[in-house]
Amino acid sequence: MNWRKLIDIIFPYIETLPDDQVEKDKERLAEDLASINSAKFRQNEEHALDEARRVAASEDQRVKTAESKATTYLAVLAALVPLLITLQSTYWESKAGPAPSGLKFVVLITAMVYVMAAGYHSFKALQVSGFQRVGEADVASAWGSSRPLARLTRNILLASRRSRDVVNSKVTRIRVIHHHLLRAFVAFILLLLLDPLFYSLGYRVQKRPMMSAAKQSLLKAMRI
């Protein structure tokens, strides 16, 4: 198995594209923009405009879906914060359960890392940058030309194509968030199952020795 694939299984991440792939994407973008600019749209301009609007609406829907899911994931992450605090209080203050504290600490830290990574990608998915749309000035300039429908169709397609990479980035981050939350959920379930598992293996909770009166008095004096 490739080591990159192994890392992605353990901690999903967005891999940076190699330089040659970046150059290919730039060339493809340039070719697509040139193809749109050279299109004449002489036949059935109304139908071409409808198709361009359909493409733009599809991209807008992808953006809305991605941002809606990112907002939902942020709400889920906000609900997990009190759970993390409760678990920390339960396992490190009361020392309840027979499972080793070190093992619980590792599992809890793992869950926290996944939660923080999901939060980071959620905020990045909601970040507004690089998305283009046809505005009022574009419509006005289109109707100032000899063929307004063709000009408007071209503007819509150019804006949609230039925004595609941003939309794909948002969708990719949503997939990464899903994988992080899934792993965080598994970590939380494992954390809850550690004590029952150690009980089933025959371990018992080690009782703390009672402190002497002198130690209790010393601790009270230190707190004062």
Side-chain angles (χ1 to χ4, degrees), residues 59-124:
E59 293 299 297
D60 289 340
Q61 185 61 40
R62 292 178 67 203
V63 172
K64 292 178 182 179
T65 301
E67 293 182 347
S68 176
K69 288 185 178 181
T71 303
T72 302
Y73 287 145
L74 280 177
V76 173
L77 295 173
L80 287 177
V81 173
L83 177 60
L84 290 172
I85 297 174
T86 302
L87 289 174
Q88 188 274 339
S89 175
T90 300
Y91 290 122
W92 275 269
E93 292 183 8
S94 63
K95 304 291 184 181
S101 298
L103 180 58
K104 293 179 180 179
F105 178 77
V106 170
V107 176
L108 182 57
I109 289 297
T110 301
M112 292 176 63
V113 169
Y114 285 129
V115 169
M116 289 187 293
Y120 169 78
H121 287 291
S122 296
F123 282 112
K124 293 295 288 185

